[in-house]
Amino acid sequence: MNDAILFSVDEGMARLTLNRPSRLNAFNSDLAHAWRDATTEATTRSDVKAILIDATGPAFCAGGDVIEMATSMGSGDEITALAEVINSGIRALTESAVPVVAAAHGTTAGGGLGILLSSDYAVVGARSRLGSLYANIGLTPDLSVSAQLARAVGQRRALQLVLQDRLLTAEEAVEWGLVAELVEGDDAAQEAAKVRARAEEVARFWLAGAADAYGQAKRLVRSQPERSFVEQLSEEARSIGASMGTADAQARITAFAAASTRRDT
């Protein structure tokens, strides 16, 4: 991994921090490869039960680095290859049984929207703005935007966003269901700190509870489009049976039953 992403693990929580603040954390080759490596490590380590994605600087992620596209990535084949590197990280997150929270302060645009959509729970600041903006530079959505945006907000709203030069306000993003919640701060720096702090609270909540069950619940919901309704019912039945056999579930069920018995007597 390189300095384009800061990676750490603390008491079960992996933190991936996008770290190109001077370019609004836009993806270039260094960030793309660091992203792939960090997401792969976070989703394959047995000691990681929750993942937090945040960013340094004034914005979460501005998508692809347009300046580098213009100066050092001359061909469409190069852009495709780089997108596939980033896609491998997106798949690592969305296909894993580890819940992911994003702390998306400031602006999230273009491919950054795909990074946000790869989280399972997103927190933004009241000053945050989110949008597509691909067509402004003659490009089409990538990094899972066309795959995930309509699932998150519905097809009509997804089309409104990708077919207009529009950035949603934080309030609109919550209303649309694109993000889970927003927090406020006295200024942009304080707000960014509060967004990170709230996202960490969410991750710590998962870790303090039935972390594996939260992870499997995420997996069931994320993987559902791959199955028919009947197949999904069978997978739910298999999964709840498997979870019933874990030590964590047995302890929690025993404690719940004991508490219920005390209330009834």
Side-chain angles (χ1 to χ4, degrees):
M1 242 169 284
N2 57 56
D3 290 341
I5 281 190
L6 307 179
F7 180 87
S8 63
V9 176
D10 176 43
E11 296 181 338
M13 185 188 77
R15 184 188 293 266
L16 284 64
T17 302
L18 308 180
N19 189 39
R20 296 191 72 224
S22 65
R23 300 296 305 140
L24 303 182
N25 298 305
F27 274 83
N28 66 351
S29 180
D30 284 348
L31 181 53
H33 287 87
W35 165 260
R36 179 195 61 193
D37 295 345
T39 52
T40 299
E41 180 171 353
T43 54
T44 55
R45 283 179 56 153
S46 61
D47 60 333
V48 170
K49 302 297 183 182
I51 297 171
L52 189 157
I53 303 171
D54 61 5
T56 60
F60 178 64
C61 181
D65 192 324
V66 179
I67 292 176
E68 289 208 15
M69 288 181 192
T71 58
S72 61
M73 289 186 237
S75 74
D77 288 344
E78 289 179 272
I79 299 299
T80 294
L82 197 63
E84 292 290 9
V85 171
I86 303 167
N87 287 345
S88 66
I90 290 172
R91 289 185 59 187
L93 294 178
T94 58
E95 294 175 2
S96 75
V98 183
V100 181
V101 58
H105 72 285
T107 298
T108 299
L113 192 58
I115 301 302
L116 181 143
L117 286 163
S118 301
S119 71
D120 307 303
Y121 196 102
V123 181
V124 299
R127 293 172 175 80
S128 294
R129 297 293 182 268
L130 303 92
S132 169
L133 308 185
Y134 284 96
N136 290 12
I137 53 172
L139 298 179
T140 56
D142 68 342
L143 307 190
S144 81
V145 171
S146 68
Q148 298 201 81
L149 183 59
R151 292 182 193 173
V153 303
Q155 187 183 77
R156 300 300 293 180
R157 281 181 161 171
L159 288 169
Q160 290 173 39
L161 202 57
V162 301
L163 297 181
Q164 289 290 306
D165 180 10
R166 178 179 182 181
L167 286 171
L168 298 179
T169 66
E171 291 83 0
E172 288 173 323
V174 172
E175 178 191 348
W176 282 28
L178 183 58
V179 304
E181 57 183 278
L182 65 88
V183 297
E184 298 181 353
D186 293 337
D187 55 37
Q190 184 193 69
E191 188 168 284
K194 286 189 172 183
V195 168
R196 295 186 190 98
R198 175 57 189 145
E200 183 165 344
E201 285 181 359
V202 172
R204 297 296 181 193
F205 167 78
W206 294 332
L207 292 169
D212 288 332
Y214 284 126
Q216 290 301 321
K218 169 253 179 83
R219 181 191 62 79
L220 282 169
V221 173
R222 283 280 191 182
S223 62
Q224 183 278 324
E226 301 170 6
R227 305 184 190 92
S228 69
F229 180 70
V230 172
E231 290 170 336
Q232 184 69 5
L233 292 181
S234 295
E235 179 58 18
E236 287 181 345
R238 186 206 64 77
S239 182
I240 196 170
S243 64
M244 182 69 178
T246 65
D248 185 53
Q250 289 295 314
R252 290 175 182 276
I253 290 169
T254 299
F256 181 87
S260 296
T261 301
R262 288 194 297 271
R263 286 195 299 270
D264 292 342
T265 57

